[in-house]
Amino acid sequence: MSFHQNCPKKVINKAQQGDKFALTQIYDLYKGPIFHLAFQMLRDEHRANDVLQTVMLKVINSIKDLSNIRTFNGWIKRITYNTVIDIIRANKKLVDISHESEFEYSEDDILGSLNSPSWDLEQFLSILNERERLVVWLYAVEGLSHSEVAETIAISEQNSRIIFSRAMKSLKSLAQDPRYSGQQVGEPHE
């Protein structure tokens, strides 16, 4: 699901004036991408639905302040990201990882593995905890740098690198397991 929807400018303009039908059209057009992104990051259907409702309330309450309607798709995507990040930050179970001096991965190697046809990224991401999934998603899928990831989710850059490293180490070991890699038992691994 993509946020690159073709929402007519006329609909956005009417929504900015408070037109309820236009707001309903926006909801119908963006509910899929918002839910999909939230679910990919949270792996919880109920919380993804909560994100959808929260994002749409934020859109309804602040659409009149949007000055450049050409940025509408990105604006909704950014609201979705920020809402998911707020939920993750509020989750008290997540604790920062202490600093480590070395990382046991080559970023080029890992990004190459992520793009491999044998990887089912969605399946692997479901195995990670929320913070790991968020860091991997923002870094590997969205292309943010570790410093940008750190700033986005309010951790240190070092923590971003450590979380990414540990998550990728887990994912690489799972990728070698025939139950997760799509290979048959006994089939040679590349």
Side-chain angles (χ1 to χ4, degrees):
M1 297 250 137
S2 172
F3 279 84
H4 296 291
Q5 302 296 320
N6 189 17
C7 187
K9 292 178 183 178
K10 184 177 180 180
V11 170
I12 297 169
N13 287 330
K14 284 185 175 186
Q16 287 180 312
Q17 297 167 7
D19 183 287
K20 291 180 181 175
F21 182 70
L23 290 167
T24 302
Q25 287 178 294
I26 290 170
Y27 176 82
D28 288 340
L29 194 57
Y30 288 92
K31 68 183 177 184
I34 292 168
F35 177 84
H36 182 73
L37 178 59
F39 185 77
Q40 288 299 315
M41 296 175 83
L42 296 170
R43 290 294 178 197
D44 182 315
E45 186 175 336
H46 297 290
R47 291 196 305 165
N49 276 318
D50 290 344
V51 168
L52 171 61
Q53 298 309 313
T54 302
V55 168
M56 291 314 299
L57 284 173
K58 289 178 180 180
V59 167
I60 290 168
N61 291 329
S62 59
I63 194 168
K64 64 185 173 294
D65 300 326
L66 180 66
S67 59
N68 184 356
I69 62 175
R70 286 182 279 167
T71 63
F72 189 70
N73 292 333
W75 179 69
I76 289 184
K77 187 175 183 179
R78 176 57 45 205
I79 291 172
T80 304
Y81 269 127
N82 290 341
T83 303
V84 169
I85 289 166
D86 289 344
I87 286 173
I88 291 173
R89 282 181 184 160
N91 187 345
K92 301 296 182 197
K93 292 185 227 173
L94 298 176
V95 179
D96 277 349
I97 298 172
S98 62
H99 295 292
E100 289 183 5
S101 59
E102 291 185 29
F103 306 107
E104 297 181 19
Y105 69 92
S106 154
E107 292 183 15
D108 291 337
D109 180 43
I110 288 170
L111 293 176
S113 295
L114 285 174
N115 294 322
S116 166
S118 66
W119 275 60
D120 181 353
L121 184 59
E122 192 169 320
Q123 178 185 11
F124 290 134
L125 287 175
S126 69
I127 295 166
L128 301 176
N129 70 38
E130 287 176 345
R131 182 162 286 182
E132 290 170 336
R133 188 168 40 252
L134 182 59
V135 169
V136 169
W137 184 272
L138 291 174
Y139 182 79
V141 178
E142 293 296 324
L144 274 62
S145 68
H146 282 296
S147 63
E148 292 168 325
V149 170
E151 184 178 322
T152 302
I153 62 174
I155 61 174
S156 70
E157 183 176 344
Q158 182 83 355
N159 272 349
S160 176
R161 291 178 185 279
I162 293 168
I163 292 167
F164 186 78
S165 176
R166 288 182 180 171
M168 295 315 298
K169 196 173 185 180
S170 296
L171 293 181
K172 284 191 107 172
S173 68
L174 285 174
Q176 295 171 355
D177 185 329
R179 294 174 293 176
Y180 296 100
S181 67
Q183 296 178 345
Q184 298 296 320
V185 175
E187 185 179 316
H189 184 71
E190 297 177 6

